[in-house]
Amino acid sequence: MEVKNKYVAIKANINGAPKESDFEIKVENLSLIVEPESKEVVIKNLFVSIDPYQINRMKSQSSSQTSISYATAITPGEVIDNYGVGRVLVYHRPDFKKGDLVSGLLTWGEYTVVKEGSLLNKLNPSLTFPLSYHVGVFGFSGLASYGGFFEVLGQYAKLLGCYAVGSAGSQEKVNFLKETLGFDDAFNYKQETDLKSALKRCFPQGIDVYFNNVGGKMLEAAVANMNSFGRVAICGVISEYTNASTRAAPDVKDIVYKRIRIQGFLAADFMPVYEDFLSKTVEYLQDGKLKTIEDISQGVESIPSAFIGLFYGDNIGKKIVKVADE
Amino acid sequence: MEVKNKYVAIKANINGAPKESDFEIKVENLSLIVEPESKEVVIKNLFVSIDPYQINRMKSQSSSQTSISYATAITPGEVIDNYGVGRVLVYHRPDFKKGDLVSGLLTWGEYTVVKEGSLLNKLNPSLTFPLSYHVGVFGFSGLASYGGFFEVLGQYAKLLGCYAVGSAGSQEKVNFLKETLGFDDAFNYKQETDLKSALKRCFPQGIDVYFNNVGGKMLEAAVANMNSFGRVAICGVISEYTNASTRAAPDVKDIVYKRIRIQGFLAADFMPVYEDFLSKTVEYLQDGKLKTIEDISQGVESIPSAFIGLFYGDNIGKKIVKVADE
């Protein structure tokens, strides 16, 4: 028994900003017959996450990067693994049965053959939220937020009683941050001629905590406006993924005199507190204290443009592609 | 009763590398009669510390810096306060008597009038080490080393069993690091065309901990060669004090993927563990496990050149000026 599996691949390594012509939609024949001893599980993909970090795997790899987890090279022409949600079609493992809803390391395609040892978990059936939540707010994006207030930054910060200011690239997003998400303030970084002054205006008392997934000039401006013993959590640096010339050069004198701590982290580092994260997040959602913001495109064919759009700020909220109906 | 007090002042703010003509030696009449209610203590200065951070206080001050401790502006023409060791001449405090040896915030001059509330401590008479040690290895330089293995970096690192590599700006210093201090390796950064390759060569297994008091390209190269969960302690950034164009722009992708922590600190942050630091350091010195390296010039007039030399790497070891004999 075989199906046609449509999937997205890169044609060659991508070293600048990604564009449509860098990608191709390929079709392969995928066997649904799995050898019992292989312990493989075939998944029908339902939702896949679209994340900026993938661009780093698409670059020509320097020797120093290949040893870093989450940075293993993506090979042109081949299937791209990616976090997602799907349904079990075929299995040879006692812990899964046909029809199970699962999350884990799936692919930018319609089906995934999950090998033994690869990340795959059954969804908790008591979580009666939309399936896409398992890619966004319950997935690595949410875990990063929780472990370091990332994707829903201001929301977690507000929940914990902080004065929170957001930054976005359009007036529409700025309004959304202030009016829908309840940020204390927000500004359009594209309309500021001097980010240091913008932050000084928004934070008259200085900044204690800065969550950085942008990098570049914003990191420099934040460090300049930080209070003593301020902390910077960095889980991404999108402006530097496609343009190395935007690299941040924060003033190290500020780091010394103000004893600033800068800490890089990955969402996966917080897997040990996943259960805590999940129960608190469910509670916040049920109480209406946390809002999910999802930006969902349809079909495998939309993956390249969904991904490319991340680097132009096209999305509002967590970018997800719906691959198939449940 | 009066004495002539010779002291060093800056003629005007200094914004680049310091040079002799930026300084002047001034003489003032200093009264040795202290009003009882003033609680002032007059000190005859014996040794003063020469530290790179003072250059930041000599710059034209931007408004954002003046609120930072250890960065209060130095006023042209006026006395410059600085850590040192001296002897009590006149006192109106029950906790000091004439002849006491003290350490604290003295001046770049022959005498200091220490106001109430300013840092001043009696030296522990049981410490039978040279007085200069109280400026160097028992002072803020030593405390910074202990709190973050700074001034005697490789020595503390070696004591704790680390593989330690030093970097210096001359072959003489490189030999000194390897042969006298027992570093596992050392290199001359002025002879390396590519610091990243130099560090890769010296650290084939990668870097776990980097103590930075240089900044610039060395910080970038260290971050590039760090292992996952590596830590960078920064208590100075001498290459950036006099030349902002040497600012470090470490690759933030490395910081994220390798979850690197960068922590700024000041020696004074470790005052709460001073007693621990002192007793351990005394023990290491007595056991011959720790070597002090002092570079001592004579007389108030030598303060400007001693200070200027820091920025050209003229000193080997802790730079101190001996102001007077005991």
Side-chain angles (χ1 to χ4, degrees):
Chain A
M1 212 171 78
E2 253 184 8
V3 290
K4 297 278 181 198
N5 177 35
K6 203 189 292 180
Y7 67 94
V8 174
I10 55 172
K11 292 182 194 166
N13 292 123
I14 304 172
N15 290 305
K19 50 192 190 306
E20 289 276 352
S21 59
D22 291 325
F23 298 90
E24 58 185 330
I25 309 289
K26 299 182 74 172
V27 180
E28 63 178 359
N29 292 320
L30 191 93
S31 167
L32 294 183
I33 297 162
V34 171
E35 298 298 323
E37 63 273 20
S38 76
K39 296 198 177 158
E40 290 175 346
V41 182
V42 181
I43 305 292
K44 184 175 195 302
N45 302 341
L46 298 176
F47 289 93
V48 295
S49 182
I50 305 293
D51 303 293
Y53 81 92
Q54 294 281 31
I55 193 70
N56 296 319
R57 303 179 60 203
M58 295 173 182
K59 292 176 188 171
S60 304
Q61 302 292 308
S62 72
S63 59
S64 70
Q65 288 187 302
T66 46
S67 62
I68 302 172
S69 52
Y70 308 96
T72 51
I74 289 171
T75 307
E78 298 199 356
V79 160
I80 296 170
D81 56 329
N82 194 91
Y83 194 76
V85 164
R87 195 179 281 285
V88 173
L89 280 186
V90 191
Y91 66 104
H92 281 292
R93 282 163 62 169
D95 44 346
F96 293 104
K97 65 176 196 303
K98 184 166 177 168
D100 277 348
L101 286 167
V102 292
S103 66
L105 204 58
L106 306 186
T107 58
W108 276 4
E110 293 177 307
Y111 298 91
T112 309
V113 179
V114 178
K115 305 241 183 289
E116 192 185 6
S118 186
L119 181 70
L120 193 67
N121 291 301
K122 270 196 281 198
L123 298 186
N124 182 336
S126 72
L127 294 175
T128 57
F129 292 95
L131 268 185
S132 58
Y133 280 30
H134 294 277
V135 172
V137 70
F138 299 147
F140 281 101
S141 300
L143 185 58
S145 322
Y146 180 78
F149 316 173
F150 164 56
E151 181 74 32
V152 284
L153 183 151
Q155 290 200 71
Y156 270 116
K158 288 299 296 174
L159 278 173
L160 297 172
C162 300
Y163 172 85
V165 175
S167 160
S170 72
Q171 194 55 43
E172 184 192 2
K173 289 187 183 183
V174 165
N175 294 343
F176 186 80
L177 288 170
K178 289 206 279 194
E179 287 153 25
T180 308
L181 298 184
F183 279 55
D184 294 291
D185 205 349
F187 63 92
N188 181 345
Y189 65 86
K190 290 183 180 165
Q191 291 189 338
E192 300 289 343
T193 50
D194 178 0
L195 288 174
K196 279 189 198 175
S197 305
L199 290 180
K200 202 172 176 67
R201 184 183 74 232
C202 292
F203 292 97
Q205 319 236 354
I207 300 172
D208 293 313
V209 176
Y210 172 55
F211 283 84
N212 179 69
N213 58 339
V214 177
K217 296 292 170 197
M218 192 72 87
L219 176 59
E220 292 180 13
V223 164
N225 279 282
M226 290 206 100
N227 294 325
S228 285
F229 302 102
R231 286 159 292 157
V232 178
I234 307 190
C235 62
V237 56
I238 191 168
S239 74
E240 300 183 21
Y241 287 169
T242 55
N243 183 356
S245 73
T246 63
R247 266 203 197 177
D251 190 335
V252 182
K253 284 197 299 299
D254 278 333
I255 295 175
V256 174
Y257 283 118
K258 299 194 285 193
R259 291 88 123 194
I260 290 170
R261 172 179 293 184
I262 297 174
Q263 175 74 60
F265 74 98
L266 296 171
D269 296 341
F270 298 100
M271 284 306 284
V273 297
Y274 187 84
E275 288 306 316
D276 263 1
F277 151 70
L278 190 62
S279 67
K280 290 220 180 66
T281 302
V282 164
E283 195 183 313
Y284 289 140
L285 285 169
Q286 286 167 338
D287 293 352
K289 290 180 178 167
L290 193 67
K291 294 183 180 70
T292 56
I293 317 120
E294 299 180 328
D295 186 333
I296 304 183
S297 305
Q298 307 290 328
V300 163
E301 293 84 349
S302 74
I303 290 177
S305 64
F307 179 65
I308 292 161
L310 295 176
F311 298 90
Y312 297 94
D314 290 349
N315 56 310
I316 294 192
K318 171 63 190 171
K319 189 68 205 174
I320 294 170
V321 168
K322 183 174 181 180
V323 176
D325 286 319
E326 296 177 40
Chain B
M1 211 168 85
E2 255 183 7
V3 290
K4 298 278 182 198
N5 178 35
K6 205 187 290 178
Y7 67 94
V8 174
I10 55 171
K11 292 182 192 164
N13 293 122
I14 305 172
N15 290 305
K19 50 191 192 305
E20 288 276 353
S21 59
D22 291 325
F23 298 89
E24 58 184 332
I25 309 289
K26 300 181 75 172
V27 180
E28 63 176 359
N29 292 319
L30 192 94
S31 168
L32 294 183
I33 298 163
V34 171
E35 296 300 322
E37 61 274 21
S38 77
K39 298 199 176 157
E40 290 175 347
V41 182
V42 181
I43 307 291
K44 184 175 195 300
N45 301 341
L46 299 175
F47 287 92
V48 294
S49 181
I50 306 292
D51 303 293
Y53 81 92
Q54 294 281 30
I55 193 69
N56 296 318
R57 302 179 60 202
M58 296 173 182
K59 292 177 188 171
S60 304
Q61 300 293 306
S62 72
S63 59
S64 71
Q65 288 189 301
T66 48
S67 64
I68 302 171
S69 52
Y70 308 96
T72 52
I74 289 172
T75 307
E78 298 198 354
V79 161
I80 295 170
D81 57 327
N82 194 92
Y83 194 76
V85 164
R87 193 179 283 285
V88 173
L89 280 186
V90 191
Y91 66 104
H92 282 291
R93 281 163 62 167
D95 44 344
F96 293 104
K97 65 176 198 299
K98 184 164 174 169
D100 277 348
L101 286 167
V102 291
S103 65
L105 204 57
L106 306 185
T107 57
W108 275 5
E110 294 178 307
Y111 298 90
T112 309
V113 180
V114 178
K115 305 245 181 285
E116 192 185 7
S118 187
L119 181 71
L120 193 68
N121 292 302
K122 272 197 281 199
L123 297 186
N124 182 336
S126 74
L127 293 176
T128 56
F129 292 96
L131 268 185
S132 59
Y133 280 29
H134 294 277
V135 172
V137 69
F138 298 148
F140 280 100
S141 300
L143 186 58
S145 321
Y146 181 77
F149 319 173
F150 164 56
E151 182 72 33
V152 285
L153 184 151
Q155 289 200 70
Y156 271 116
K158 287 301 295 174
L159 279 172
L160 297 173
C162 300
Y163 172 86
V165 175
S167 159
S170 72
Q171 194 55 43
E172 184 192 3
K173 289 187 182 184
V174 166
N175 293 343
F176 186 80
L177 288 171
K178 290 204 280 193
E179 289 154 24
T180 308
L181 298 184
F183 279 56
D184 294 292
D185 203 350
F187 63 93
N188 181 346
Y189 65 85
K190 288 182 181 166
Q191 291 189 339
E192 298 290 343
T193 49
D194 178 359
L195 288 174
K196 279 189 200 177
S197 305
L199 291 181
K200 203 174 175 65
R201 185 183 74 232
C202 293
F203 292 97
Q205 319 237 352
I207 300 172
D208 293 312
V209 177
Y210 172 56
F211 282 85
N212 179 68
N213 59 338
V214 177
K217 296 291 170 199
M218 192 71 87
L219 177 59
E220 292 179 16
V223 165
N225 278 283
M226 292 206 98
N227 293 326
S228 284
F229 302 102
R231 284 159 293 157
V232 179
I234 306 190
C235 63
V237 56
I238 193 166
S239 74
E240 300 184 19
Y241 287 169
T242 55
N243 183 356
S245 72
T246 62
R247 267 203 198 175
D251 191 333
V252 183
K253 283 196 300 298
D254 278 333
I255 296 175
V256 174
Y257 283 118
K258 299 195 285 195
R259 291 88 122 196
I260 290 170
R261 171 178 292 183
I262 298 175
Q263 175 74 60
F265 74 98
L266 295 170
D269 296 341
F270 297 100
M271 284 306 285
V273 296
Y274 186 84
E275 289 306 318
D276 263 2
F277 151 70
L278 191 61
S279 67
K280 288 219 179 68
T281 303
V282 164
E283 195 183 313
Y284 289 141
L285 286 169
Q286 286 169 338
D287 293 351
K289 289 181 181 167
L290 193 67
K291 295 184 179 69
T292 57
I293 318 121
E294 298 181 328
D295 185 333
I296 303 183
S297 306
Q298 306 290 329
V300 163
E301 292 84 350
S302 73
I303 290 177
S305 64
F307 179 65
I308 291 161
L310 295 177
F311 298 91
Y312 297 93
D314 290 349
N315 57 310
I316 294 193
K318 171 64 190 168
K319 189 68 207 176
I320 294 170
V321 168
K322 182 175 182 179
V323 176
D325 286 320
E326 297 178 44

